[in-house]
């Protein structure tokens, strides 16, 4: 990093690393140090850095056409929409630039469906504690974490919050104003918490009984990360709306919202849009990513490696008093700790392994889908070693204070 005061707003608590090169599952900093990347841009480069199949399609599209806007038909959009709706069981797609923008579209679609199609305004949406849905004003309001709302009041109305994975009391929050329930099936930022089958079953019962829409935020869980192409496929139902981003373009920015047929007429020309949504380049990257993932059956590989990795971590971390458990789905893995993980992450960087937090006390691990068994063992060894040192230090501190 250059010397002197940064010209950037200080939005991010950046790690003291400047990464300048990436290939597959590894990245290098500006000092030439090599790291095994278990962050991957926060579950974005699922196929690894600079995947040749995606790069080839991107370069071809860059030499053909970059941008025309949604005033015109864009063949890549139609192709990607058919691919995503075929695989998801949903019926229509809207393309945008990010996860927050996809969730914003989902909130607007749910409200407009009830107001314009179903015939009764039902603006309220139930979301859950510790959820994370984005940084726009509506999506941070939907988020069930007060820290993201600090200083941004007044917030939009119409969001009601409930405990995650708690069935009791959920029905009492449904009123005649309630139009939708919005959730992540594995909370990422909220601590890598998978939804229980009982919790999902109750949400589906409420959908049927009260005519609610179920919006599943698949920004982090979608596109193979949990061991299926979409996380909802683990639970045996099809949501009314899902949102996608992160891994969809393997690093090229693109977001998407998919909806059921009955919602198609809720949007009309001029009701919603995005200047850069679904550009020829972004959709080329997403088509290449999805096709590679399906052709190589990578979700199945993720399921097998994820189960193996969690078991390996449980074995390596057994008996460490700082570890409360290993959890997750596929290659979205969390190590819950009794202590803040910031220092653990810093020590792992010094060991050549990049990780990130999921809340203050959970270590989040997001390897790419081509990760090898040897790399998983390397990571588990480093995590076990660093956590053992932290446990020894904590025990020594307790002893000295006692």
């Amino acid at each position: 990093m250059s010397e002197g005061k940064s010209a950037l707003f200080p939005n991010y608590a950046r790690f003291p690393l400047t990464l300048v090169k990436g290939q597959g599952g590894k990245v290098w900093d500006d000092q030439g140090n090599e790291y095994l990347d278990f962050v991957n841009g926060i579950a974005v480069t699922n196929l690894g850095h600079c995947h040749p199949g995606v790069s080839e399609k991107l370069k071809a599209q860059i030499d053909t056409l970059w941008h025309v806007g949604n005033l015109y038909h864009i063949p890549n959009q139609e192709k990607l929409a058919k691919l995503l709706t075929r695989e998801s069981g949903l019926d229509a797609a809207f393309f945008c630039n990010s996860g927050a923008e996809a969730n914003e579209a989902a909130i607007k679609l749910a409200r407009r469906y009830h107001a314009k199609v179903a015939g009764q305004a039902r603006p309220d949406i139930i979301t859950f504690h510790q959820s994370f849905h984005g940084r726009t004003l509506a999506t941070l309001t939907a988020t069930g974490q007060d820290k993201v709302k600090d200083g941004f009041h007044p917030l939009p109305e119409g969001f009601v919050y409930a405990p995650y994975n708690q069935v009791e009391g959920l029905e009492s929050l449904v009123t005649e104003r309630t139009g939708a329930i919005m959730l992540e099936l594995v909370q990422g930022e909220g601590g890598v918490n998978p939804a229980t089958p009982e919790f999902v079953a109750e949400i589906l019962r409420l959908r049927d009984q009260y005519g609610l829409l179920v919006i599943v935020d698949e920004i982090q869980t979608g596109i193979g990360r949990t061991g299926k192409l979409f996380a909802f496929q683990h639970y045996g139902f099809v949501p009314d709306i899902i949102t996608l981003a992160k891994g969809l373009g393997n690093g090229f920015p693109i977001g998407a919202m998919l909806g059921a047929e009955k919602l198609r007429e809720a949007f009309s020309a001029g009701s919603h849009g995005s200047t850069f949504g679904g550009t020829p380049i972004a959709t080329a990257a997403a088509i290449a990513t999805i096709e590679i993932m399906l052709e190589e059956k990578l979700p199945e590989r993720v399921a097998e490696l994820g189960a193996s990795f969690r078991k390996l971590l449980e074995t390596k971390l057994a008996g460490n008093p700082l570890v409360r458990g290993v959890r997750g789905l596929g290659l979205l893995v969390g190590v819950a700790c009794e202590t803040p993980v910031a220092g653990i992450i810093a020590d792992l960087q010094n060991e050549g392994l990049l990780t990130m937090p999921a809340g203050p006390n959970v270590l989040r691990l997001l390897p790419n889908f081509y990760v090898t068994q040897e790399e998983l063992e390397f990571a588990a060894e480093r995590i076990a070693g660093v956590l053992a040192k932290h446990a020894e230090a904590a025990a020594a501190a307790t002893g000295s204070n006692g």
Side-chain angles (χ1 to χ4, degrees):
M1 180 180 167
S2 60
E3 294 183 359
K5 185 177 180 181
S6 172
L8 298 170
F9 277 110
N11 300 59
Y12 304 103
R14 299 180 194 271
F15 297 124
L17 295 177
T18 302
L19 302 176
V20 296
K21 178 184 171 184
Q23 189 66 50
K26 294 180 179 176
V27 289
W28 289 263
D29 67 17
D30 59 353
Q31 304 301 307
N33 298 310
E34 178 183 294
Y35 303 88
L36 182 60
D37 188 0
F38 272 34
V39 176
N40 282 292
I42 315 179
V44 168
T45 53
N46 289 347
L47 302 183
H49 297 279
C50 304
H51 188 285
V54 181
S55 293
E56 180 185 356
K57 299 287 186 181
L58 269 174
K59 289 170 184 172
Q61 188 61 53
I62 285 171
D63 287 339
T64 304
L65 184 67
W66 289 25
H67 178 80
V68 293
N70 287 296
L71 296 172
Y72 307 97
H73 293 282
I74 298 173
N76 274 356
Q77 277 194 19
E78 293 287 347
K79 183 174 181 179
L80 181 59
K82 287 180 179 175
L83 195 54
L84 290 172
T85 54
R86 184 192 74 193
E87 296 297 324
S88 67
L90 289 161
D91 299 289
F94 167 79
F95 295 112
C96 48
N97 305 292
S98 69
E101 205 181 335
N103 281 336
E104 190 88 17
I107 293 165
K108 291 177 70 174
L109 181 66
R111 288 183 172 177
R112 193 170 170 89
Y113 166 74
H114 286 294
K116 298 290 186 180
V117 179
Q120 179 188 355
R122 298 171 65 178
D124 288 0
I125 297 175
I126 296 173
T127 69
F128 294 95
H129 297 168
Q130 299 306 312
S131 61
F132 183 82
H133 297 297
R135 300 281 186 176
T136 66
L137 207 52
T139 58
L140 72 83
T141 307
T143 294
Q145 302 183 47
D146 288 340
K147 66 181 183 183
V148 305
K149 304 171 187 175
D150 185 32
F152 296 121
H153 292 74
L155 301 174
E157 297 178 348
F159 294 93
V160 179
Y161 309 97
Y164 190 69
N165 268 343
Q166 184 170 313
V167 172
E168 186 179 354
L170 183 56
E171 185 171 9
S172 67
L173 298 177
V174 179
T175 72
E176 63 181 10
R177 287 175 53 87
T178 307
I181 296 177
M182 182 176 191
L183 77 159
E184 300 154 287
L185 289 168
V186 183
Q187 289 187 332
E189 173 65 22
V192 191
N193 296 308
T196 65
E198 296 76 16
F199 179 59
V200 174
E202 175 66 0
I203 288 170
L204 297 179
R205 185 186 73 79
L206 297 177
R207 172 170 77 168
D208 294 341
Q209 182 167 343
Y210 295 102
L212 307 178
L213 300 175
V214 172
I215 305 169
V216 172
D217 179 338
E218 295 255 15
I219 305 300
Q220 185 161 168
T221 58
I223 318 300
R225 173 54 63 180
T226 67
K228 291 187 181 291
L229 196 59
F230 306 104
F232 71 78
Q233 293 168 331
H234 288 282
Y235 294 86
F237 77 105
V238 178
D240 300 289
I241 302 171
I242 67 170
T243 53
L244 302 166
K246 291 188 180 296
L248 182 56
N250 203 53
F252 201 94
I254 180 171
M257 178 192 68
L258 309 182
E261 181 64 31
K262 68 179 182 181
L263 304 174
R264 188 189 296 269
E265 302 306 320
F267 275 172
S268 56
S271 59
H272 189 57
S274 172
T275 295
F276 292 105
T279 66
I281 298 175
T283 45
I287 291 167
T289 299
I290 299 288
E291 287 183 341
I292 290 167
M293 205 161 292
L294 294 175
E295 288 168 6
E296 300 185 13
K297 300 184 185 306
L298 290 178
E300 291 90 331
R301 176 182 167 80
V302 168
E304 292 175 7
L305 285 176
S308 168
F309 188 37
R310 292 194 300 277
K311 187 175 181 180
L312 183 63
L313 285 169
E314 287 168 356
T315 301
K316 297 281 187 187
L317 299 175
N320 188 311
L322 292 185
V323 177
R324 286 193 283 128
V326 178
R327 60 199 187 206
L329 203 56
L331 287 173
L332 172 50
V333 178
V335 178
C337 298
E338 296 283 356
T339 184
V341 296
I344 295 165
I345 290 169
D347 287 349
L348 286 171
Q349 287 174 1
N350 292 331
E351 296 279 339
L353 177 66
L354 301 187
T355 62
M356 65 174 296
N361 292 348
V362 178
L363 189 66
R364 187 168 14 171
L365 307 167
L366 301 161
N368 80 84
F369 296 174
Y370 293 105
V371 68
T372 65
Q373 190 64 38
E374 290 74 22
E375 289 172 332
L376 293 176
E377 289 173 3
F378 172 90
E381 288 281 357
R382 295 303 183 278
I383 292 166
V386 166
L387 275 166
K389 290 179 182 175
H390 278 254
E392 290 171 8
T398 302
S400 64
N401 291 334

